[in-house]
Amino acid sequence: MNSKLSPIKGHLPEWIVEDKELTTALAHAATLEERKNPTLWIVKAQDPCIVLGSSEREKPFIDFSYLEKEGLSITSRRSGGGAVLVVPDDLLWVDIFIPRISPLWEEDVKRSALWIGEVWLKAMQSISVSGTMHTESMERSPLSDLVCFAGKAPGEIFLNGRKIVGISQRRSRQGTRYQCALVLKWEPKHLVNAFKAAPVANIAQRIQSCGTNADCGRQDAIDALMKQLSIR
């Protein structure tokens, strides 16, 4: 792990930027709530893993024998929504913590989501990824209760109607933690096979079509995101 004060300046205190290489479970369990500075974690997961939402309502439909055969871990996160497939080279996973004392902190949940969504949208546009941001209320379906990328939440980014940036919020008395996943390579076969017995019509085709590649490089996306954060 590398930790440093970044050159993100302007009217804000300096940001803390850290590279984290952890198992998926440990990365979700780790806390940022003691931080007094805005903090950016660039997470490199050590394992392929299916991450369930906090309710774990998708758990009864998972084929655990398939996960075992493929060497996939399973864990859960503290925020809601369906399952997310974490494959280390396929996602850019970024956690952003904004302490309540920061001028960037937003009390309203939807405005908070749209703020981080705007950061991602401008970052993607700056590297020629012409996405759009979902600005309406949460859109759920039986499939999105199983698979996170099948839903639409405020602030999330889409390319030709398919999700490329998924965002969740973990809010506490100390601040807001945004957990963000940018799709570098959309390969959902593990989700398809893990949920193949779920009672959702055309589930394989629908999972395949709910996400897509962002068509950008990992480091380009990190640099673009940091630049947008620097001007907020």
Side-chain angles (χ1 to χ4, degrees):
M1 178 195 76
N2 295 319
S3 178
K4 58 186 179 182
L5 285 175
S6 89
I8 297 179
K9 297 185 185 293
H11 65 287
L12 304 174
E14 289 186 318
W15 283 65
I16 296 172
V17 179
E18 296 179 341
D19 296 309
K20 293 282 186 177
E21 189 163 354
L22 300 167
T23 66
T24 304
L26 282 176
H28 278 286
T31 180
L32 282 161
E33 293 181 352
E34 75 284 358
R35 301 300 175 93
K36 303 302 182 186
N37 291 76
T39 299
L40 175 68
W41 274 6
I42 302 166
V43 182
K44 179 74 169 179
Q46 294 176 329
D47 57 328
C49 184
I50 287 182
V51 182
L52 308 181
S54 56
S55 71
E56 297 191 353
R57 58 178 168 247
E58 61 272 51
K59 198 170 186 177
F61 305 104
I62 292 175
D63 182 346
F64 284 91
S65 63
Y66 174 79
L67 301 190
E68 183 177 10
K69 178 171 69 75
E70 295 295 322
L72 288 165
S73 305
I74 187 166
T75 191
S76 60
R77 62 185 184 273
R78 296 180 191 174
S79 54
V84 175
L85 175 64
V86 174
V87 176
D89 292 332
D90 293 358
L91 283 181
L92 170 59
W93 176 356
V94 174
D95 280 11
I96 298 168
F97 179 69
I98 305 295
R100 188 178 287 261
I101 60 173
S102 168
L104 289 178
W105 187 79
E106 173 58 64
E107 183 172 8
D108 182 82
V109 174
K110 185 175 180 180
R111 286 201 299 268
S112 176
L114 295 178
W115 175 82
I116 193 63
E118 183 74 11
V119 170
W120 275 104
L121 181 64
K122 295 296 187 184
M124 292 295 94
Q125 291 174 341
S126 74
I127 54 174
S128 302
V129 178
S130 54
T132 58
M133 180 172 66
H134 183 69
T135 58
E136 304 303 319
S137 299
M138 173 81 73
E139 294 184 14
R140 285 179 54 187
S141 69
L143 181 58
S144 70
D145 285 347
L146 299 177
V147 176
C148 181
F149 267 61
K152 292 184 177 182
E156 293 185 321
I157 308 301
F158 294 78
L159 185 61
N160 300 320
R162 298 184 177 195
K163 191 181 295 188
I164 58 170
V165 178
I167 300 170
S168 68
Q169 293 188 59
R170 288 167 53 174
R171 299 174 69 88
S172 70
R173 288 176 296 177
Q174 288 73 34
T176 301
R177 178 176 178 178
Y178 304 97
Q179 295 192 289
C180 310
L182 170 69
V183 179
L184 301 175
K185 184 180 181 182
W186 180 246
E187 288 245 354
K189 68 175 183 177
H190 291 316
L191 289 173
V192 169
N193 291 323
F195 288 111
K196 63 185 177 184
V200 176
N202 303 316
I203 189 167
Q205 180 181 357
R206 291 173 65 189
I207 290 175
Q208 184 66 50
S209 65
C210 67
T212 191
N213 302 345
D215 292 329
C216 64
R218 174 185 171 86
Q219 192 58 52
D220 287 344
I222 292 171
D223 291 344
L225 179 66
M226 291 181 65
K227 182 176 180 180
Q228 287 302 313
L229 288 171
S230 75
I231 59 177
R232 298 290 141 175

